[in-house]
Amino acid sequence: MAFTLNVNGAAHVIDEEEDIPLLYVLRDTLRLNGAKYGCGVGQCGACTVLRDGAPVRSCVVPAVSLQGREVTTLEGLRAPDGALHALQRAFLAEQAGQCAYCIPGMILSAAGLLRRKPSPTEADIRTALDANLCRCGSHNRIVRAVQRAAAELSG
């Protein structure tokens, strides 16, 4: 089945089975490897991307269901000139990633939060990231990174 996906501002014609998860299309067809395969059942957050600015688990969302929607991956957060997004810079500055497997999902969940709530409290950040698992225990640095990015983005 052929369908069109809008990913990171570009339209892509995808010819895959209608039940293929978005994660497989992103990684295998479009070669966008920011979203990671973690649990495969939408519970760990490693595969998080944005759908129209809101976080979704790409391992459980059928790609075909996103026709007419805008999908943003970690790669799509960069500015057109290649500059890193404030969240990406903050995660680097705070050394928020240890093994970094969870970081793309954390960053995109945080991007969804900052879009909804530009000046979140620490509790807001922890709640927004609660469903994203980090087995390395970097949560405090991740929270600081989101706070840093929020401060930068709000001027």
Side-chain angles (χ1 to χ4, degrees), residues 43-94:
Q43 294 183 354
C44 74
C47 68
T48 302
V49 298
L50 299 178
R51 175 188 60 206
D52 297 333
V56 295
R57 305 299 199 236
S58 65
C59 71
V60 294
V61 174
V64 70
S65 73
L66 297 173
Q67 291 182 93
R69 311 296 288 272
E70 179 59 36
V71 175
T72 305
T73 68
L74 182 68
E75 296 88 347
L77 284 183
R78 285 182 174 238
D81 67 359
L84 294 178
H85 184 276
L87 278 164
Q88 293 167 311
R89 290 191 303 275
F91 271 66
L92 290 170
E94 293 294 337

Side-chain angles (χ1 to χ4, degrees), residues 9-154:
H12 301 274
V13 176
I14 308 297
D15 189 12
E16 295 284 354
E17 295 182 29
E18 67 183 61
D19 63 344
I20 190 168
L22 175 62
L23 178 64
Y24 297 168
V25 171
L26 294 174
R27 292 184 61 83
D28 300 337
T29 305
L30 300 179
R31 301 288 185 221
L32 296 170
N33 294 315
K36 307 295 184 213
Y37 181 89
C39 65
V41 292
Q43 294 183 354
C44 74
C47 68
T48 302
V49 298
L50 299 178
R51 175 188 60 206
D52 297 333
V56 295
R57 305 299 199 236
S58 65
C59 71
V60 294
V61 174
V64 70
S65 73
L66 297 173
Q67 291 182 93
R69 311 296 288 272
E70 179 59 36
V71 175
T72 305
T73 68
L74 182 68
E75 296 88 347
L77 284 183
R78 285 182 174 238
D81 67 359
L84 294 178
H85 184 276
L87 278 164
Q88 293 167 311
R89 290 191 303 275
F91 271 66
L92 290 170
E94 293 294 337
Q95 298 179 11
Q98 190 165 328
C99 84
Y101 200 80
C102 68
I103 296 303
M106 291 282 192
I107 288 175
L108 287 161
S109 290
L113 168 66
L114 295 180
R115 184 170 188 250
R116 286 188 329 273
K117 193 167 196 171
S119 298
T121 64
E122 180 177 336
D124 293 330
I125 295 168
R126 290 187 183 279
T127 298
L129 301 180
D130 188 51
N132 291 75
L133 302 180
C134 172
R135 298 187 83 180
C136 300
S138 296
H139 287 94
N140 290 331
R141 288 179 282 171
I142 290 167
V143 169
R144 284 195 307 268
V146 177
Q147 291 170 323
R148 178 188 284 242
E152 179 183 329
L153 290 169
S154 65

